Amino acid sequence: MRSIAERGAELRERVRASDVVAISQMISALEGRTELGLSLRKDLYTMGGTAHVIGVTGAPGCGKSTLVAALTKVLRQRGLTVGIIAVDPSSSLTGGAILGDRIRMQEHTLDRGAYMRSMSSRGSLGGVSRATVDAVAVLDAAGWDVVIVETVGVGQADVDIVRIAHTTIVVSAPGLGDDIQAIKAGLLEVADLHVVNKADRPDADKAIAELLGMLTLGGGFGDGWDIPVIGTSSVTGQGVQELADQLTAHRAWLRDGGELGRRSRAAAVARIRALAYELLMERLDDPTKGDGFDAVVDAVTERRLDPHTAAADLIDRVAATT
Amino acid sequence: MRSIAERGAELRERVRASDVVAISQMISALEGRTELGLSLRKDLYTMGGTAHVIGVTGAPGCGKSTLVAALTKVLRQRGLTVGIIAVDPSSSLTGGAILGDRIRMQEHTLDRGAYMRSMSSRGSLGGVSRATVDAVAVLDAAGWDVVIVETVGVGQADVDIVRIAHTTIVVSAPGLGDDIQAIKAGLLEVADLHVVNKADRPDADKAIAELLGMLTLGGGFGDGWDIPVIGTSSVTGQGVQELADQLTAHRAWLRDGGELGRRSRAAAVARIRALAYELLMERLDDPTKGDGFDAVVDAVTERRLDPHTAAADLIDRVAATT
């Protein structure tokens, strides 16, 4: 039986050589938080840094998955390798959404330059963000040119993923309901590119005009990047080449204007904070310090102690024993 | 000019006397994280503990707000005071959803026993959860009988709110799209009560049957509470009295079976963890330790250092200087 270190070294080299089986194994090891996975996280980070990480987000029902499949096809035709991480909000009880994704992506499954992985967000608290960020790091370390992260457009995972993406595409579609539009509006501010999908529909022009109006209302950001609004259609194929062009343009702008450095720094801050939290929770859960934590929780449950004082005491305790 | 302590003591006594102006002021002070607000958080916690906290969640478009208004009317008729905290996902750019809520709630605005407050989730990371939990604590401390927290049914805020609710109602409606159904499915496991709203629609019976099927598939929880599925209609008023009855029944079950203690303990754990994280971030951001944090971020940004090692170093440093 080989040691964790030996198995880790082999897996790391296979990932570096873009071996898709090794990539899948490493993502699973990280998702499952196995000893092997955790031992490789540090190496992964320093191996990466070359991929163009693209976040694709938007309200449910806007056709994100189909758009990502169409975009992947165009990027592959341009000779780029494409990794896709799809964050799936569905529960194990249905599995509907993910099945749809997989069927739509099937035409790429025989293509070694297109890698697709779904992450379930079921039951996790912060777990999906961490697992997704780890999966991006694996594909980046493996030398993938483009890594696309597709999320459902609401919630914490999205916020975290926007922070690691170099370029964020916000997808909308004409004719969605009011509540959906409200969610979409919350995403307006994070967009580097807007896509109005289902542009073959008669009400698409109105949706594009409305978006352009909102962007004008919000004022330019004055940093030299004019946020484009691109109409796309999975039926006619309209707009997908233009989207690929704009992604290239945005990446060049990020590099040339110094924005890439700023975004990388913000991503590092977010990542360090998330990991510091994770570590803090692990130390609080440490059974050798368990008695203290349980006693504090009892006091808070019985309202003898408030949770603010409890939290401060615990941080000091974790601190004192390291 | 009175001191913070004097103003705090006065505000605290006015909240204890259920003064709605004082309640609003205190919620705002906590949301804005003013010195006055923060000084009162500890007191608030030990003052509360009597309210029945009800989470209402569900996919966009299922008619949650209208249902909450109808439920509030019934609870008021039964002599209970009702506080409502509505977490609104819309951006400042639209404001649509929140305006709708307010219009629907208007009939209660002249009733002193019904308090309504909206919290915007825009731009916050964890902030909305904290502000919402604080607002619940204020209404609880003020002696409100029932506190209803209404959320959009996706994302982190929901998870946090489910953790503080004694009873969670998951609302769905017939005829929503597939993506929406997938989100709903992710909420199935947290439901103590299911409501199928818009039960006046012809396809409602099918939706109720599907939910009952899913619940049977998932197996009973064997803890003595059979999760009811209630059809409601804001058009006909159907089911709202039954919903109020079931809420009372669930509360009695929580108390009698010891589950209330277990849920209170889980809520305390979640709250302590969230506050420990908040404190950790404050200490990392402390300008007197700022040089260290910036240097670490630089090293991670340039990939000289991995974020895992960085996080561990920072926790030790925060520990060492306290």
Side-chain angles (χ1 to χ4, degrees):
Chain A
M1 181 95 187
R2 289 174 306 152
S3 69
I4 293 279
E6 285 168 340
R7 287 164 58 207
E10 191 211 316
L11 191 55
R12 192 179 57 228
E13 288 319 304
R14 285 171 58 208
V15 166
R16 201 196 291 275
S18 306
D19 176 337
V20 291
V21 175
I23 289 169
S24 291
Q25 284 171 349
M26 190 173 292
I27 292 175
S28 296
L30 286 163
E31 199 173 18
R33 301 180 66 64
T34 66
E35 200 184 339
L36 176 64
L38 297 176
S39 74
L40 291 169
R41 290 211 295 185
K42 296 179 185 183
D43 286 348
L44 274 184
Y45 186 81
T46 42
M47 281 161 69
T50 55
H52 183 193
V53 182
I54 298 170
V56 178
T57 190
C62 68
K64 281 182 300 295
S65 302
T66 319
L67 176 73
V68 166
L71 176 63
T72 300
K73 197 168 181 175
V74 167
L75 295 174
R76 291 294 299 130
Q77 282 162 355
R78 295 183 181 192
L80 297 167
T81 52
V82 181
I84 300 153
I85 310 291
V87 180
D88 176 24
S90 71
S91 155
S92 63
L93 286 170
T94 57
I98 204 65
L99 194 64
D101 279 357
R102 287 206 169 130
I103 290 166
R104 281 189 290 270
M105 286 307 297
Q106 220 159 32
E107 61 179 295
H108 295 297
T109 53
L110 293 174
D111 171 6
R112 302 279 285 186
Y115 179 90
M116 163 83 182
R117 175 84 176 212
S118 293
M119 321 290 284
S120 167
S121 63
R122 174 177 172 257
S124 65
L125 176 70
V128 65
S129 316
R130 184 184 59 215
T132 304
V133 171
D134 282 341
V136 170
V138 173
L139 289 166
D140 187 0
W144 250 250
D145 297 317
V146 175
V147 179
I148 299 175
V149 183
E150 180 193 332
T151 67
V152 81
V154 270
Q156 188 62 34
D158 254 336
V159 176
D160 291 345
I161 288 154
V162 161
R163 289 185 174 195
I164 64 157
H166 300 119
T167 305
T168 300
I169 303 174
V170 173
V171 186
S172 53
L176 298 178
D178 278 350
D179 273 351
I180 297 285
Q181 296 297 340
I183 293 176
K184 189 195 72 187
L187 293 168
L188 270 179
E189 289 127 273
V190 302
D192 297 306
L193 288 91
H194 277 288
V195 165
V196 176
N197 205 8
K198 306 184 183 178
D200 49 295
R201 289 178 46 158
D203 45 353
D205 287 347
K206 186 164 157 281
I208 292 174
E210 275 174 9
L211 255 180
L212 286 168
M214 279 188 186
L215 290 170
T216 312
L217 202 74
F221 297 110
D223 54 6
W225 175 254
D226 286 327
I227 300 169
V229 178
I230 305 163
T232 59
S233 165
S234 307
V235 179
T236 67
Q238 173 197 338
V240 184
Q241 293 285 351
E242 185 190 349
L243 176 59
D245 292 343
Q246 289 285 359
L247 286 170
T248 309
H250 189 250
R251 197 183 192 197
W253 173 79
L254 285 174
R255 277 198 178 142
D256 300 344
E259 179 66 16
L260 189 61
R262 279 190 290 277
R263 293 195 184 192
S264 299
R265 198 168 198 286
V269 169
R271 192 98 178 93
I272 295 169
R273 288 186 173 186
L275 290 166
Y277 176 65
E278 195 180 307
L279 267 174
L280 178 68
M281 291 306 122
E282 277 170 15
R283 290 193 190 178
L284 289 183
D285 280 341
D286 185 339
T288 63
K289 297 165 200 157
D291 271 7
F293 188 54
D294 276 352
V296 165
V297 170
D298 287 340
V300 172
T301 305
E302 293 155 19
R303 294 190 184 247
R304 288 181 281 117
L305 179 69
D306 71 273
H308 307 270
T309 307
D313 289 351
L314 284 169
I315 287 203
D316 290 343
R317 197 176 312 181
V318 162
T321 52
T322 53
Chain B
M1 182 88 189
R2 290 173 308 152
S3 70
I4 294 279
E6 286 167 341
R7 286 165 56 210
E10 189 210 318
L11 192 55
R12 193 180 55 226
E13 290 316 306
R14 284 172 57 209
V15 165
R16 201 196 291 274
S18 308
D19 175 339
V20 292
V21 175
I23 290 169
S24 290
Q25 283 172 349
M26 190 171 294
I27 292 175
S28 296
L30 286 163
E31 197 172 24
R33 299 177 70 63
T34 65
E35 200 184 336
L36 176 63
L38 297 175
S39 73
L40 291 170
R41 291 210 296 184
K42 296 178 185 183
D43 286 347
L44 273 184
Y45 186 79
T46 41
M47 280 161 70
T50 56
H52 183 193
V53 182
I54 299 169
V56 178
T57 189
C62 67
K64 280 181 302 296
S65 302
T66 318
L67 177 71
V68 166
L71 177 62
T72 299
K73 198 167 179 176
V74 167
L75 295 174
R76 290 293 299 130
Q77 283 162 355
R78 296 184 181 193
L80 298 166
T81 52
V82 182
I84 300 153
I85 311 292
V87 180
D88 177 24
S90 71
S91 157
S92 63
L93 286 169
T94 57
I98 202 64
L99 194 62
D101 279 355
R102 288 207 168 127
I103 289 165
R104 279 189 291 269
M105 286 305 299
Q106 221 158 29
E107 60 179 295
H108 295 298
T109 51
L110 294 174
D111 171 7
R112 302 278 286 185
Y115 179 92
M116 163 84 183
R117 175 83 177 212
S118 293
M119 322 288 285
S120 169
S121 65
R122 174 174 172 260
S124 66
L125 178 69
V128 66
S129 315
R130 187 183 56 217
T132 304
V133 172
D134 282 340
V136 170
V138 173
L139 289 167
D140 188 359
W144 249 249
D145 297 317
V146 175
V147 179
I148 299 174
V149 183
E150 180 193 331
T151 68
V152 82
V154 271
Q156 188 62 34
D158 254 335
V159 177
D160 291 346
I161 288 154
V162 162
R163 288 183 176 199
I164 63 156
H166 301 118
T167 305
T168 300
I169 303 174
V170 173
V171 186
S172 54
L176 299 176
D178 279 351
D179 274 350
I180 295 282
Q181 295 299 338
I183 293 176
K184 188 195 72 185
L187 292 170
L188 269 180
E189 290 127 274
V190 302
D192 296 306
L193 288 90
H194 277 289
V195 165
V196 176
N197 205 7
K198 304 184 184 179
D200 49 294
R201 288 178 46 159
D203 45 352
D205 288 346
K206 186 163 158 282
I208 291 174
E210 274 174 9
L211 255 179
L212 286 169
M214 279 188 187
L215 290 172
T216 312
L217 203 75
F221 297 110
D223 55 5
W225 175 253
D226 286 329
I227 300 169
V229 178
I230 305 163
T232 58
S233 165
S234 307
V235 178
T236 65
Q238 174 197 340
V240 184
Q241 293 285 353
E242 186 191 348
L243 176 59
D245 292 343
Q246 289 285 358
L247 287 170
T248 308
H250 189 251
R251 200 186 190 196
W253 173 80
L254 286 174
R255 278 198 177 142
D256 299 344
E259 179 67 17
L260 189 63
R262 281 190 289 276
R263 292 196 183 190
S264 299
R265 197 169 200 286
V269 170
R271 191 98 178 93
I272 295 169
R273 287 186 175 185
L275 289 166
Y277 176 65
E278 195 181 305
L279 265 175
L280 178 69
M281 292 307 122
E282 277 170 17
R283 291 193 189 177
L284 289 183
D285 280 341
D286 183 340
T288 63
K289 298 163 198 161
D291 272 9
F293 187 55
D294 276 353
V296 166
V297 171
D298 286 342
V300 172
T301 305
E302 292 155 19
R303 293 188 185 249
R304 288 182 280 116
L305 180 68
D306 71 274
H308 307 270
T309 307
D313 289 351
L314 284 169
I315 286 205
D316 290 342
R317 197 175 312 180
V318 162
T321 51
T322 52

